[in-house]
Amino acid sequence: MSVIEPPRQGEIVTRTPEELDRLSSTWESPGGLIGWFMPVNQRVIGRRFVLTAFVFFFLAGALAVLMRIQLMRPENDFLSPDLYNQFFTVHGTAMMFLFAIPVMEGIAIYIVPMMVGTRDMAFPRLNAFGYYVYLIGGAVFFGSLLFNIAPAAGWFNYVPLAGIEYSPGLGVGIWTTMITFIEVSALTAAVELIVTILKLRAPGMSLNRMPLFVWSALVTAFMIVFAMPAIIAASSLLVMDRQIGTHIFTPETGGQPLLWQHLFWFFGHPEVYIILMPALGIISTIIPVFTQRPIFGYTALVLSLVATGFIGFGLWVHHMFATGLPQLGMSFFMAASAMIAIPQGIQVFCWIASMWGARMRFDTPLLYVLGFFVIFVVGGISGVMVAVIPFDLQVHDTFFLVAHFHYVLIGGAVFPLIGGMYYWYPKMFGRMMDERLGKISFWLAFIGFNVTFFPMHQLGLQGMPRRIYTYLEELGWGDLNLLATMGSFILAAGFLLSLFNALWSLWRGAPAGEDPWGSPTLEWATPSPPPNYNHAHIPIVSGRYPLWDRRGEESSPVVVGLRDDRREVLVTTVLDAEPHAVAVMPAPTIWPFISAVAASTGFLGILYHPSFFLVGFFGAAATFTMWFWPRRPWRDD
Amino acid sequence: MHSHAGYDARELTRFAHKTHPLWWGILGVVTIEATVVASLIASYFYLRMDAEAWPPPGVDPPGLLFPTINLVLLVTSSGTMYWAGWGINRENKLVLTLGTSASVALASLVLVLRGIELSDLGFLWNSHPYGSIVWTMMGFHFVHVVSAIIGTAVVAFLAGIGYFTRERQLGVVVDTLYWYFVAGIWIPLYLVLCWAPRVL
Ligand code: HEM
Ligand SMILES: [Cu+2]
């Protein structure tokens, strides 16, 4: 026990250096080569998720630029048609599955436990497992491009095109298997986030005091739990169709290709909100900090997050307006698609009200948020347009759609995300990113983005279909395409400048200190970068803005009586966060890594022979047993 | 900024089970798997909606006998799981070992019967869409029973060497939760596979 004389209620507590050392070594991650495969701490895993996701972002971005070069002028032969197909498939899939979801999860894994004042995620080993599965899945997926066997059936992989008859070879198999891996990883992260948020909050952080970023992570996680199983089922069925000759999606033998579309979009539409939701949380985090006053309409914002989560599930059919479903059903989905505008509108209203008349500090994080507003409004308008069935039929599968979803995805998710990176970078690495470079990068990205994608609306209305590798001179699409390609160079320069800024600031940035922005949430109450144990004591919270609430006070209440020689965290009740137990967290181990390798060998092997299923299944079962096997001294005695 | 003691966690239990994060985690797994089952059932009816005949002409739906026996066995095995937990709550390690082992035995019997049933179906997964989805749903449940057996066998073994106590029984509690799910999910699958083609 650390405290020999138990402190009484209200007594001042300080950690002696020896205690801090012990706490730190209890929560330490092993070093060395083998040690690299062992850590389970949430900040280590979260950082890996974020870094890996950005590697995929830049790779997928490079593919996008190559595609733009191909489309730069009519009848260009820079990329072959087949390579172009592979590129847009890999670009779209990687951006949606390997970048957008994992990066948001990574940030949540890194930030949420600190924000709610605990020391780790609820299932640290599972967290590590999820990361390795993601890493392996992503690496194999991108690796397939090097061998020219990448999937080429588009990011939604429609059957029958994706069936064995029209897509023989490994490509689609790799797509389905890797997607399943990444979904498994997303599901593990989602369950963990839910349990961490519901059960490990600091005492006093009742649900109605939870930071909005935590709310957004919670809603996102719930959406993942209900959306992703559909795509797992769909891709497993497709694997079976391709590998063992089942007939689920094959029309010529009585199967139903449209079933794929339903299952895919039942996941695919919520997917867009899964990507968007954490970004909304980031915006609601950044605005109060840079205006230095509480957000306007906390409750309304929470309710709109939750409402968006629900409505997001009612919309999938709007991706299928062109498939000829019954009229009444279609109208219902059209109305539902328009309904989503209500919570979105409420949020925008609250944000504007929060900024109204405030003295704002226009630092880079806020700039990216303001850029979001402009872009997202355009994306929202074009979205309402395509939700109208007659209009949708007109622009279906044209560049209008490409423009629309890039406005939503880049404006809605990537811009706030980069703002968030500028905001949390000091916490993660202990140094500030350069402001001047940050501002330049913002303007390059903002201008480049609009120059790239705005002309695409016009191209779509002029009839340019998506997914074509080239077009004829006489169609007159050349000028706008050239403009879009120029824009993509500027956009890329903007993102690369931020990358450079991040690397350069690692050793040149100004030291950040605990709380460089004057933020209200708990992650800023520890040194930057935080020590192994996050907070020296688990804090006790009595308001929505803990660090602002305690301004001007002498001392703040904390939890005492947790042991520092093993990994103890406090478990609290779901609604009011009253303490009711202590959980002992597991220490670093290599088993999650071995499990991930065993499972991926098995499930990739299925592409070679179905019997590899057994390898995957029993390999996972055996390694899971080893991972859970109790070792003396029993952890919780 | 100083800190002062606001709450003392020394007396809190370190042995929570129904309030432990892991219990909630298993609940999450169960939710995910239930959603997968819902997707499969939806796929079943979607395929059926557009089929001319379901099952196809000349094909019989799975028989009633073995699936019904399996239903009874699975319910019974949940009972023995409950009994095992009842035992360890009274620090009775023998009941825990016997109860979990009985569940493993009953579930293994389920696998045997399921095996016979599958080999007697008269069609394969690659015969027609009906065969594909029926085999998928049955296979899905089969694999889940296997995982529940493996997990519970480990618990039974640990119980046998005396690892679990009245306090340290988190492993038992979460394994039981998962067991109830695997047994319970057979009910909707059973109704869809065996009864829907007969009554709907
Ligand atoms: C970095 C800037 C980006 C550029 C220049 C870019 C450009 C492109 C291009 C040229 C296409 C192919 C259009 C076609 O021929 O049909 C495309 C498709 C796509 N992009 Fe991007 N993109 C960028 C970023 C993103 C991001 C951040 C996301 C998602 C988070 C994304 C998601 C997609 C998707 C889903 C597709 C559709 C793929 C398919 O048709 O299957 N893109 N993009
Ligand atoms: Cu949609």
Side-chain angles (χ1 to χ4, degrees):
Chain A
M1 273 309 205
S2 58
V3 191
I4 298 130
E5 277 287 298
R8 279 183 305 278
Q9 192 85 0
E11 193 173 325
I12 296 291
V13 287
T14 39
R15 291 276 197 198
T16 64
E18 300 85 75
E19 274 173 23
L20 284 180
D21 277 351
R22 193 162 50 225
L23 196 59
S24 178
S25 66
T26 301
W27 288 89
E28 191 166 310
S29 303
L33 184 62
I34 305 215
W36 195 89
F37 297 98
M38 295 173 62
V40 293
N41 293 48
Q42 132 267 334
R43 276 184 305 102
V44 179
I45 305 291
R47 200 169 58 209
R48 286 185 185 176
F49 261 108
V50 173
L51 294 180
T52 314
F54 270 107
V55 169
F56 289 134
F57 173 71
F58 280 101
L59 289 175
L63 295 181
V65 171
L66 292 174
M67 286 192 286
R68 280 312 323 165
I69 294 179
Q70 162 67 18
L71 294 179
M72 181 163 66
R73 54 194 171 84
E75 293 162 72
N76 200 356
D77 55 4
F78 176 66
L79 297 178
S80 71
D82 185 48
L83 210 54
Y84 190 87
N85 290 349
Q86 293 188 17
F87 276 19
F88 73 68
T89 304
V90 173
H91 164 80
T93 310
M95 284 294 190
M96 301 299 272
F97 293 98
L98 300 185
F99 164 65
I101 304 182
V103 79
M104 295 298 188
E105 279 166 8
I107 295 184
I109 288 173
Y110 192 99
I111 297 294
V112 163
M114 285 198 291
M115 257 191 179
V116 303
T118 185
R119 295 201 160 130
D120 208 335
M121 295 283 279
F123 314 113
R125 293 182 174 179
L126 189 66
N127 212 7
F129 175 78
Y131 172 72
Y132 297 120
V133 170
Y134 160 59
L135 180 66
I136 296 173
V140 172
F141 185 75
F142 255 103
S144 69
L145 205 53
L146 295 178
F147 299 97
N148 205 15
I149 51 168
W155 87 277
F156 33 74
N157 206 44
Y158 276 177
V159 288
L161 175 61
I164 191 81
E165 193 172 335
Y166 301 98
S167 299
L170 277 177
V172 171
I174 291 178
W175 191 95
T176 39
T177 312
M178 292 308 102
I179 291 316
T180 309
F181 279 30
I182 289 149
E183 315 281 87
V184 167
S185 151
L187 283 166
T188 58
V191 171
E192 293 203 71
L193 281 168
I194 292 177
V195 179
T196 308
I197 293 171
L198 293 184
K199 295 303 292 175
L200 299 185
R201 296 198 308 277
M205 190 184 283
S206 49
L207 282 185
N208 60 352
R209 289 177 182 160
M210 230 160 63
L212 284 163
F213 181 72
V214 178
W215 267 110
S216 73
L218 183 67
V219 177
T220 312
F222 270 108
M223 292 187 77
I224 291 181
V225 163
F226 289 106
M228 299 240 170
I231 182 84
I232 291 196
S235 29
S236 312
L237 294 174
L238 182 57
V239 169
M240 293 195 310
D241 265 16
R242 294 177 53 92
Q243 304 302 131
I244 59 171
T246 54
H247 303 284
I248 307 283
F249 301 123
T250 48
E252 58 280 7
T253 51
Q256 271 301 332
L258 266 188
L259 176 59
W260 171 271
Q261 295 201 20
H262 278 293
L263 289 173
F264 186 89
W265 287 117
F266 182 78
F267 141 83
H269 185 80
E271 152 95 344
V272 176
Y273 292 93
I274 288 170
I275 293 175
L276 203 60
M277 194 73 68
L280 303 177
I282 293 177
I283 297 166
S284 297
T285 309
I286 288 181
I287 289 179
V289 175
F290 290 83
T291 54
Q292 286 293 307
R293 59 183 203 193
I295 194 109
F296 176 87
Y298 173 92
T299 314
L301 282 166
V302 170
L303 291 179
S304 5
L305 286 176
V306 177
T308 309
F310 276 103
I311 303 177
F313 278 93
L315 296 186
W316 80 94
V317 173
H318 71 193
H319 296 268
M320 301 165 61
F321 283 159
T323 57
L325 295 172
Q327 190 64 46
L328 180 67
M330 300 269 270
S331 305
F332 165 79
F333 283 106
M334 182 167 126
S337 300
M339 202 162 91
I340 197 94
I342 298 171
Q344 300 306 326
I346 293 179
Q347 293 196 51
V348 172
F349 173 76
C350 289
W351 289 326
I352 292 178
S354 303
M355 292 188 286
W356 199 264
R359 276 233 318 279
M360 290 196 271
R361 220 167 69 201
F362 288 95
D363 288 341
T364 314
L366 187 66
L367 282 188
Y368 273 98
V369 167
L370 297 178
F372 155 88
F373 277 111
V374 177
I375 300 175
F376 194 68
V377 167
V378 179
I381 292 172
S382 57
V384 172
M385 287 162 79
V386 291
V388 178
I389 294 177
F391 187 83
D392 180 69
L393 294 178
Q394 198 60 40
V395 298
H396 184 78
D397 269 345
T398 69
F399 257 81
F400 189 92
L401 220 70
V402 177
H404 159 65
F405 65 70
H406 282 91
Y407 263 85
V408 175
L409 290 169
I410 300 187
V414 179
F415 268 64
L417 169 74
I418 296 187
M421 291 311 295
Y422 273 90
Y423 174 66
W424 277 305
Y425 182 96
K427 181 52 57 184
M428 295 171 96
F429 299 102
R431 290 177 185 271
M432 306 298 287
M433 276 169 88
D434 188 82
E435 255 313 298
R436 212 159 46 99
L437 290 183
K439 291 205 169 95
I440 302 175
S441 85
F442 166 75
W443 285 109
L444 285 176
F446 184 74
I447 295 170
F449 171 80
N450 286 295
V451 176
T452 313
F453 291 102
F454 203 76
M456 290 186 190
H457 291 109
Q458 180 61 25
L459 280 171
L461 292 176
Q462 289 178 12
M464 177 169 169
R466 65 192 284 201
R467 296 176 171 170
I468 49 163
Y469 81 105
T470 195
Y471 48 91
L472 293 176
E473 171 104 57
E474 300 83 73
L475 291 166
W477 301 335
D479 292 346
L480 286 177
N481 269 305
L482 182 64
L483 186 63
T485 304
M486 292 301 139
S488 71
F489 293 151
I490 307 177
L491 176 59
F495 288 149
L496 286 172
L497 191 61
S498 282
L499 174 67
F500 170 78
N501 192 352
L503 296 175
W504 192 75
S505 305
L506 270 186
W507 54 92
R508 289 303 176 79
E514 268 193 12
D515 181 13
W517 310 109
S519 306
T521 42
L522 287 174
E523 80 273 26
W524 299 99
T526 85
S528 315
N532 294 332
Y533 45 81
N534 290 352
H535 299 274
H537 286 107
I538 306 276
I540 295 176
V541 175
S542 52
R544 273 181 200 154
Y545 302 92
L547 302 201
W548 289 355
D549 295 341
R550 51 170 102 141
R551 276 180 183 166
E553 289 185 11
E554 288 272 287
S555 155
S556 60
V558 296
V559 175
V560 296
L562 289 177
R563 278 167 58 170
D564 54 19
D565 56 350
R566 63 181 196 189
R567 300 190 169 205
E568 289 199 341
V569 299
L570 197 65
V571 183
T572 51
T573 55
V574 173
L575 294 181
D576 295 326
E578 285 167 13
H580 63 172
V582 172
V584 189
M585 292 294 167
T589 166
I590 196 146
W591 284 106
F593 174 71
I594 299 182
S595 295
V597 171
S600 24
T601 321
F603 289 101
L604 266 175
I606 294 181
L607 299 181
Y608 170 70
H609 192 275
S611 62
F612 268 87
F613 176 79
L614 297 176
V615 177
F617 181 77
F618 287 105
T623 47
F624 270 54
T625 310
M626 293 309 294
W627 148 1
F628 280 107
W629 197 260
R631 290 174 182 83
R632 278 180 202 279
W634 306 135
R635 218 200 298 149
D636 33 13
D637 277 350
Chain B
M1 173 73 59
H2 294 294
S3 304
H4 61 266
Y7 183 85
D8 190 346
R10 199 168 295 111
E11 300 303 321
L12 284 182
T13 176
R14 265 64 174 171
F15 292 102
H17 24 88
K18 291 235 167 82
T19 54
H20 193 280
L22 190 59
W23 190 87
W24 290 78
I26 299 291
L27 201 61
V29 173
V30 164
T31 315
I32 291 170
E33 304 228 30
T35 316
V36 174
V37 172
S39 311
L40 289 178
I41 293 180
S43 305
Y44 178 95
F45 284 108
Y46 193 86
L47 288 170
R48 172 182 165 142
M49 202 166 66
D50 279 297
E52 271 145 31
W54 190 264
V59 174
D60 287 327
L64 285 179
L65 180 64
F66 283 166
T68 312
I69 299 180
N70 276 345
L71 186 67
V72 175
L73 288 176
L74 286 169
V75 171
T76 318
S77 76
S78 302
T80 49
M81 276 311 262
Y82 182 83
W83 180 54
W86 177 89
I88 196 62
N89 277 335
R90 281 154 194 74
E91 197 68 49
N92 189 335
K93 298 189 178 185
L94 183 66
V95 168
L96 176 66
T97 317
L98 286 179
T100 45
S101 311
S103 301
V104 169
L106 288 168
S108 306
L109 192 56
V110 169
L111 292 187
V112 173
L113 296 184
R114 180 70 51 79
I116 301 176
E117 180 193 344
L118 284 174
S119 62
D120 286 349
L121 270 182
F123 52 83
L124 286 179
W125 56 88
N126 57 4
S127 306
H128 33 65
Y130 177 74
S132 306
I133 192 75
V134 169
W135 272 82
T136 305
M137 288 161 86
M138 289 225 182
F140 177 88
H141 191 251
F142 189 97
V143 171
H144 278 75
V145 176
V146 176
S147 9
I149 288 180
I150 295 177
T152 309
V154 172
V155 169
F157 176 80
L158 287 172
I161 63 171
Y163 168 74
F164 293 109
T165 64
R166 182 152 55 122
E167 293 204 299
R168 189 172 45 241
Q169 54 151 299
L170 175 63
V172 181
V173 172
V174 297
D175 184 65
T176 309
L177 177 60
Y178 190 67
W179 190 280
Y180 290 161
F181 164 72
V182 171
I185 203 72
W186 178 241
I187 299 174
L189 289 173
Y190 167 76
L191 291 176
V192 169
L193 290 171
C194 303
W195 286 98
R198 294 187 165 81
V199 296
L200 285 187

